[in-house]
Amino acid sequence: MMNLFTFVVTALLWITVAWRAVKVWRKGQDRSLWWAFFGLAVMMTLRMPPGRALDQWTGVTDLSYLLKHLIGGVLAPAALLAFLRKVSGASDGPRTKRRRITFACATALAMAILFFAKLQPYETPLIFADPVAHYVFLAYTLLFLGYLTASLLGGMRVCWRWGRNSSGRALSWGLRTIGVGLAAGVVYAVARAATIATRIRGDGLFPGAVDDYICTALLMAALVLIVAGTSLPMLSLLRSWRAKRHALLRLRPLWRDLTQATPSVRLHTPRGAVTEYLNPLNVHDRLYRRGVEIRDAALALNNYASPALRERAQQHAEARGLFGTQAAIAAEACWLAAARRAKLRGAAPGSSTEHRPAGGGRDLRSEISALTQLSDAYHSDLVRDFTDSEDRLMEPLA
């Protein structure tokens, strides 16, 4: 069961690495979090059969043991701490950054020296039988876990301090979740150090492999919480993407009708409904362009709506019990539908009149909200009744 869980966590880490690689390497964004997940993914991979295959291929006993500590226990925590300090807004001067890098490099160098000087060619279980090697192994373990604990504690301070002061709710909960994961990592480091120390003098904290299971469970919990915490801010982006995509598809019927009468306002050739529905890319830009083209189409149809037509549309909306902004939006939908029909019938445009949209806003969110209300009104029975009455007015008298 634990092996299956290890595989699942490792796969999750590699998926996160691949997903973030597209964003950070192609767009040139900060790469510290990517390096953190890369280090954790390599560490977890080396815990499985690929680690033993690496040892056999290189001929260096337990090389995977050293590498998983250097990459997952030194590189990953250092990169994660750098990311947390940056995302939280904490300012680090050049001297502080150099000190952190020097500390990490010195720890990695000391671990490598201890490993190659005395911990070769023993396999890890046989080290405990050598009276000198097992103390070197203890020093190696305490050095590694000491650095890991110090890094995790530093990350916890950043998470708890800035998690309370973050402006965004998703970022706040994300930092707190990462903080809990880092706390689980600290507990793992303490439990692992206690396990190694007690094995040198006896059988360990618990009989059999219970202590190994406990430490592994703590490590897995820490990794899952860290992945979840760093993904929480992305959930808010996902919700925003879904809302924009919903608005994009919802405005399509209005956009299609208006731009059918004024095709010159279209920047690109219209795509089919299925193609647009299945396309998940550039939703923000497409929604922005859709709003612009709807407004441009309304401006182009403005000359086909006489003052008398606008007055009849306003009276029609008010007769249905609407008032204020609702009446203005419904009236605009009415005269737009009538003007579109007139344009498609080949009617000549009238004199230019000032066009003021009934709703709108200074940002995309308020503008799309106004256009959505206009779209709902445009496809309502109120507008259909108005256009039918206008068509009857256009019929020649018998």
Side-chain angles (χ1 to χ4, degrees), residues 12-281:
L12 180 63
L13 287 170
W14 279 116
I15 291 173
T16 305
V17 169
W19 172 58
R20 292 186 177 275
V22 177
K23 181 178 180 180
V24 301
W25 291 95
R26 184 176 297 176
K27 297 184 179 180
Q29 298 181 1
D30 180 67
R31 299 166 182 172
S32 55
L33 184 60
W34 184 88
W35 280 111
F37 280 116
F38 175 78
L40 294 175
V42 171
M43 177 192 71
M44 293 301 297
T45 302
L46 293 177
R47 290 171 60 93
M48 298 191 298
R52 291 190 293 272
L54 177 65
D55 297 340
Q56 295 174 359
W57 178 69
T58 60
V60 180
T61 305
D62 270 355
L63 177 62
S64 60
Y65 190 84
L66 173 65
L67 291 179
K68 74 179 182 181
H69 288 163
L70 292 180
I71 299 175
V74 178
L75 171 64
L80 181 60
L81 180 59
F83 165 77
L84 290 173
R85 294 190 66 83
K86 181 174 183 179
V87 76
S88 63
S91 58
D92 287 336
R95 181 178 299 180
T96 303
K97 293 181 180 179
R98 284 196 300 269
R99 185 166 57 246
R100 288 208 310 266
I101 294 174
T102 302
F103 185 34
C105 292
T107 302
L109 179 61
M111 290 169 58
I113 291 173
L114 290 174
F115 180 85
F116 287 106
K118 191 58 184 176
L119 301 184
Q120 288 290 304
Y122 298 112
E123 292 185 358
T124 304
L126 301 179
I127 291 176
F128 295 99
D130 188 301
V132 176
H134 68 237
Y135 283 109
V136 175
F137 179 63
L138 178 61
Y140 169 94
T141 302
L142 294 179
L143 179 64
F144 157 63
L145 294 176
Y147 174 84
L148 178 62
T149 302
S151 299
L152 296 180
L153 288 174
M156 285 174 59
R157 286 194 296 269
V158 173
C159 289
W160 291 116
R161 177 183 176 185
W162 295 98
R164 295 191 303 268
N165 300 327
S166 297
S167 56
R169 183 178 180 183
L171 178 59
S172 175
W173 280 106
L175 287 172
R176 292 179 181 182
T177 304
I178 295 173
V180 175
L182 297 180
V186 171
V187 177
Y188 156 79
V190 173
R192 178 59 73 185
T195 298
I196 298 299
T198 53
R199 281 186 179 178
I200 290 177
R201 295 182 174 273
D203 295 330
L205 291 174
F206 302 98
V210 175
D211 47 3
D212 285 334
Y213 286 121
I214 293 175
C215 291
T216 301
L218 288 170
L219 177 61
M220 298 302 167
L223 294 176
V224 170
L225 287 169
I226 290 172
V227 172
T230 56
S231 301
L232 276 178
M234 302 305 298
L235 294 179
S236 62
L237 296 180
L238 178 60
R239 286 194 296 268
S240 176
W241 175 87
R242 289 183 60 186
K244 290 177 180 178
R245 180 177 177 273
H246 177 72
L248 177 72
L249 298 176
R250 189 174 176 182
L251 291 177
R252 177 180 171 81
L254 174 64
W255 167 83
R256 183 192 57 215
D257 276 12
L258 297 187
T259 59
Q260 182 184 17
T262 58
S264 61
V265 304
R266 294 171 177 165
L267 181 62
H268 302 292
T269 303
R271 298 180 177 181
V274 176
T275 302
E276 184 166 35
Y277 182 84
L278 296 177
N279 183 11
L281 303 178

